[in-house]
């Protein structure tokens, strides 16, 4: 059996993202989305999610961009002078690893984000992190430890099979996926040991921001056995506050609703699912 979870990240970042999530779920193959509880449009996202009961909504833990949940003075090691999260992820990652004070601040902010999600009343479908920051071993340990108190049952470990990518586009160089693979495999082992489900395969690393209809259709046609997640960044416009330069947001939305994609998923006998539908390890 081939099971496919299709996730939209950055839910709550902007109303244009939220609109795309609703369209992709209502009219397409989108089964899950990851909520940025501190996002500028989080309230709008939560309102939409409440009227979409079949949509699996998870927590998109964010330590890398935008405004934190806690006051800046409570987490000075995580933010810059503007009160927003630091953008120097490598140096911040080192500080979280080596500096106990910064590590405690990261734990407090992660806990605050889990608590903010719990306060929405939405069921916690899954957990992942903005810009895959949970590949960082210390951040992963904090999320696993804190998440168990909030009922975390599933999480993403972005293990992307290069063979499938090359079957879709033979000239593809999956450098990002191959570079992240050791950390992703280690993360998945830690999740499973903690009783947290995780897909066998994840697509969205190599073509992040460029998951076109042709690429999603190709992945669906060449799905490996087991549970696969495809994650995208759809929006109803290509430019909005906080949009990433070069991301093809509207094409990613089109990939969710394109008739040829829907037909490929149907004809391949793929079972669409949410993380909540997965068995616990």
């Amino acid at each position: 059996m081939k099971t496919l979870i299709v996730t939209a990240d950055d839910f709550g970042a902007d109303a244009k993202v939220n609109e795309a999530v609703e369209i992709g779920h209502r009219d397409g193959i989108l089964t899950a989305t990851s909520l940025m509880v501190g996002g500028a449009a989080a309230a709008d996202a939560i309102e939409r999610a409440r009227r979409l009961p079949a949509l699996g909504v998870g927590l998109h833990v964010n330590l890398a961009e935008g405004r934190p949940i806690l006051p800046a003075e409570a987490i000075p090691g995580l933010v810059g002078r503007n009160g927003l999260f630091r953008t120097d992820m490598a140096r911040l990652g080192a500080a979280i690893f080596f500096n106990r004070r910064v590590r405690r601040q990261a734990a407090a902010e992660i806990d605050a984000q889990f608590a903010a999600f719990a306060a929405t009343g939405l069921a916690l479908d899954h957990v992942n992190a903005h810009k895959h920051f949970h590949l960082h071993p210390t951040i992963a340990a904090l999320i696993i430890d804190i998440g168990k108190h909030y009922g975390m049952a599933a999480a993403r470990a972005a293990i992307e099979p290069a063979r499938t990518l090359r079957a879709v586009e033979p000239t593809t160089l999956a450098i990002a996926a191959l570079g992240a693979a050791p950390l992703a495999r280690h993360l998945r082992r830690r999740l499973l040991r903690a009783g947290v489900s995780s897909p066998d395969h994840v697509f969205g690393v190599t073509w992040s921001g460029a998951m076109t209809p042709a690429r999603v259709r190709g992945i669906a046609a060449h799905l490996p056995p087991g549970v696969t997640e495809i994650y995208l960044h759809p929006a109803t416009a290509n430019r909005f506050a906080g949009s990433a330069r070069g991301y093809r947001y509207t094409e990613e939305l089109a990939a969710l609703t394109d008739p040829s994609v829907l037909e490929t998923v149907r004809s391949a006998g793929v079972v669409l699912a949410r993380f909540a539908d997965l068995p616990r390890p």
Side-chain angles (χ1 to χ4, degrees):
M1 180 180 291
K2 296 180 180 180
T3 300
L4 177 62
I5 301 167
V6 184
T7 309
D9 281 354
D10 299 347
F11 192 41
D14 189 271
K16 294 179 175 62
V17 176
N18 300 348
E19 291 167 359
V21 168
E22 185 165 0
I23 293 168
H25 178 64
R26 186 187 64 223
D27 302 331
I29 61 172
L30 189 71
T31 62
T33 189
S34 306
L35 174 65
M36 300 179 80
V37 290
D44 174 71
I46 293 163
E47 182 180 340
R48 291 175 192 267
R50 286 175 177 155
R51 61 176 185 254
L52 300 170
L55 179 66
V57 183
L59 174 61
H60 199 47
V61 173
N62 180 25
L63 298 174
E65 188 173 62
R67 192 170 300 282
I69 296 296
L70 294 176
E73 56 269 23
I75 49 170
L78 305 183
V79 299
R81 292 182 179 178
N82 58 3
L84 304 180
F85 284 122
R86 293 167 52 176
T87 57
D88 55 338
M89 288 179 63
R91 296 177 72 176
L92 175 57
I96 291 171
F97 183 82
F98 289 109
N99 189 313
R100 186 178 301 175
R101 177 180 59 86
V102 177
R103 189 160 58 249
R104 285 197 297 264
Q105 293 173 24
E109 175 63 23
I110 292 169
D111 188 89
Q113 292 186 26
F114 270 100
F117 188 98
T120 69
L122 298 169
L124 181 62
D125 182 70
H126 62 274
V127 177
N128 53 49
H130 193 46
K131 298 188 176 180
H132 298 290
F133 217 176
H134 62 315
L135 290 178
H136 186 298
T138 306
I139 295 173
L142 292 174
I143 289 175
I144 291 170
D145 183 56
I146 295 167
K148 66 185 179 185
H149 299 291
Y150 291 92
M152 182 177 77
R156 174 190 298 159
I159 303 170
E160 188 172 58
R163 180 181 299 179
T164 303
L165 298 176
R166 287 193 290 269
V168 178
E169 291 185 7
T171 59
T172 295
L173 297 175
I175 296 173
L178 292 172
L183 286 173
R185 291 192 184 96
H186 179 65
L187 172 60
R188 188 169 189 272
R189 289 193 294 269
R190 294 179 73 173
L191 291 169
L192 297 179
R193 284 199 302 269
V196 178
S197 300
S198 187
D200 302 301
H201 323 285
V202 175
F203 294 96
V205 179
T206 298
W207 295 327
S208 184
M211 295 292 279
T212 62
R215 285 171 170 168
V216 173
R217 184 173 61 247
I219 293 169
H222 295 88
L223 277 186
V227 178
T228 298
E229 179 192 10
I230 299 176
Y231 73 90
L232 305 90
H233 300 85
T236 55
N238 285 319
R239 296 190 67 181
F240 51 88
S243 59
R245 187 174 183 178
Y247 269 38
R248 293 145 69 174
Y249 293 97
T250 56
E251 282 194 72
E252 297 214 344
L253 172 56
L256 295 171
T257 60
D258 186 278
S260 67
V261 173
L262 272 63
E263 174 57 27
T264 299
V265 170
R266 187 200 64 78
S267 61
V270 174
V271 176
L272 290 172
R274 303 166 300 178
F275 286 87
D277 300 319
L278 303 181
R280 294 292 290 268

